[in-house]
Amino acid sequence: MILEASNIKINNNGMIKSCDDFRLSSGGIIKINGDDDIAKALACIYDGEVSGSFLIDGKNLLDIYKIRNLRRRQEFLNSIVNYGLFFVPANPAKVMNRNSRLIDEIYLMIGRRAIVNILNTIIRREMFTYNDIENLIKYYKENKSFLDYWCILYGVYDYIRDIESYINSGDTESIFKILIMKKRGIDVGEAVILRNIYKSDLVKNNSRRITGIERLRYSFLFYFNRRIFYYIRDEISNELKGYIRRSGLNVDLNSMVYENSIENLRSLMFSLSIIKSPSIIIVKDHDEILEKYLDIYKNIGVSIIIVS
């Protein structure tokens, strides 16, 4: 994936703002000068006039601002989702309902792409073999950063330090037990059907049916084992907790948005970005919280644009 940005300008009540041209390759990091409006424009969520070129694989994502009121808008929004843009604002409280629980806000933001990733993780873990652990040990010896990727792949990031310790001590049986403990006994066939529904054009072209987890519960999940819905919720919570711990913060997902500091909310958004598995993360400001997540982004090949 190659990203090229040139001649980007936004109109904020008659005041023209712009940022320097830049080019970004897959897994790269770049810092540009700009304010919150520039960051939102690059994330394609700015509520105003934007011009210029923001090319990903030859498609200009900024065209969305030209077709905002046309019927094609939904088609373009879906293509943006497919490119996997994710925005972490300076103060995430501004994009959340401050009187909601954090976990409820997460369910609303999780999105189709992340649900597919979570179902793939569940399916992969239900079907793992001892060879998967042998491959982990093999690649870990060649590159220790592979452990980040492997734990995300199997949804066991909350056990990453234990797994690293077991690899170094040669206690592969304990790694096996962790994966066994994470199994939920889900019907893999049903999980595959559900995953394929989320990946299908039916879901892509009917966005109103995927705007919130609760709607999903009563639409697609109605036709399948209802337990899978609760497993997805648990998977989201457990994954988030594992990533958040890496930041050194203790975030209660059942707390209200207004009860949390900006640091907590930033950490939560970075953790959510890993679950959503974007191609590009656009971050407003470089701080210590972002620094804690940079290694993970590097290991999973995410590109980062830092606007400051």
Side-chain angles (χ1 to χ4, degrees):
M1 182 272 299
I2 296 293
L3 180 152
E4 294 180 276
S6 61
N7 202 31
I8 293 177
K9 292 182 172 61
I10 65 171
N11 188 335
N12 186 342
N13 296 322
M15 179 183 295
I16 304 300
K17 303 178 183 179
S18 63
C19 67
D20 294 335
D21 297 353
F22 62 88
R23 180 184 175 94
L24 184 63
S25 60
S26 181
I29 301 175
I30 191 168
K31 293 184 180 182
I32 65 171
N33 293 323
D35 61 9
D36 204 46
D37 288 341
I38 290 289
K40 289 178 180 178
L42 295 176
C44 293
I45 60 172
Y46 180 69
D47 187 20
E49 181 184 337
V50 181
S51 62
S53 175
F54 188 55
L55 296 176
I56 298 180
D57 296 333
K59 176 168 282 190
N60 185 11
L61 296 193
L62 296 189
D63 282 347
I64 188 171
Y65 297 103
K66 301 175 184 176
I67 59 176
R68 185 184 299 276
N69 297 318
L70 302 182
R71 293 184 65 184
R72 287 176 54 214
R73 179 172 181 260
Q74 191 58 58
E75 175 187 340
F76 208 92
L77 279 170
N78 287 329
S79 70
I80 287 174
V81 170
N82 292 336
Y83 281 116
L85 293 179
F86 189 87
F87 177 50
V88 179
N91 183 1
K94 292 182 178 180
V95 299
M96 297 180 180
N97 181 346
R98 67 185 306 275
N99 293 314
S100 292
R101 293 188 311 157
L102 285 178
I103 196 63
D104 293 334
E105 287 297 295
I106 291 301
Y107 292 152
L108 289 173
M109 291 190 288
I110 198 71
R112 176 183 64 84
R113 181 178 173 130
I115 296 281
V116 170
N117 291 334
I118 290 167
L119 284 166
N120 277 331
T121 297
I122 292 172
I123 293 165
R124 193 178 294 116
R125 200 168 55 227
E126 292 294 311
M127 300 180 67
F128 88 93
T129 67
Y130 212 91
N131 285 337
D132 298 317
I133 298 175
E134 291 176 349
N135 287 333
L136 163 64
I137 296 169
K138 173 186 174 183
Y139 290 115
Y140 175 81
K141 290 179 179 177
E142 296 173 0
N143 179 10
K144 286 184 167 50
S145 66
F146 178 76
L147 182 59
D148 271 322
Y149 171 76
W150 191 90
C151 286
I152 290 171
L153 204 65
Y154 285 90
V156 290
Y157 200 87
D158 44 338
Y159 289 94
I160 186 169
R161 295 303 167 225
D162 293 332
I163 292 172
E164 185 173 36
S165 174
Y166 294 143
I167 293 174
N168 291 328
S169 67
D171 185 4
T172 55
E173 201 61 36
S174 290
I175 302 174
F176 191 84
K177 288 177 181 177
I178 287 174
L179 287 165
I180 286 286
M181 186 172 60
K182 281 278 200 172
K183 279 195 172 192
R184 308 300 292 272
I186 291 174
D187 186 308
V188 173
E190 289 183 356
V192 169
I193 292 171
L194 183 60
R195 179 203 62 191
N196 291 344
I197 285 176
Y198 279 105
K199 292 173 67 176
S200 71
D201 290 336
L202 173 68
V203 177
K204 293 178 186 176
N205 297 330
N206 289 276
S207 63
R208 290 184 181 179
R209 303 181 71 182
I210 61 169
T211 53
I213 288 290
E214 289 302 317
R215 289 189 180 184
L216 290 172
R217 178 179 183 182
Y218 295 110
S219 55
F220 298 119
L221 291 178
F222 177 79
Y223 300 102
F224 299 98
N225 190 332
R226 285 288 181 86
R227 289 181 304 164
I228 295 180
F229 168 75
Y230 296 105
Y231 293 152
I232 290 173
R233 286 178 55 138
D234 290 346
E235 196 73 25
I236 293 169
S237 297
N238 291 334
E239 289 283 298
L240 284 171
K241 290 173 185 175
Y243 303 135
I244 289 170
R245 276 199 289 271
R246 184 187 184 99
S247 71
L249 297 173
N250 183 20
V251 182
D252 180 4
L253 296 180
N254 288 307
S255 63
M256 306 298 283
V257 171
Y258 69 81
E259 295 175 332
N260 285 271
S261 64
I262 291 176
E263 288 78 11
N264 277 3
L265 297 178
R266 289 263 292 183
S267 179
L268 187 64
M269 291 291 280
F270 285 126
S271 298
L272 178 61
S273 73
I274 299 168
I275 293 178
K276 288 174 74 71
S277 187
S279 302
I280 302 167
I281 295 174
I282 296 154
V283 181
K284 184 64 182 76
D285 297 334
H286 189 162
D287 58 12
E288 292 181 3
I289 305 299
L290 168 61
E291 199 67 34
K292 302 280 181 65
Y293 287 85
L294 285 180
D295 282 346
I296 302 180
Y297 292 144
K298 178 181 178 181
N299 294 335
I300 60 179
V302 173
S303 301
I304 305 173
I305 301 172
I306 303 170
V307 182
S308 58

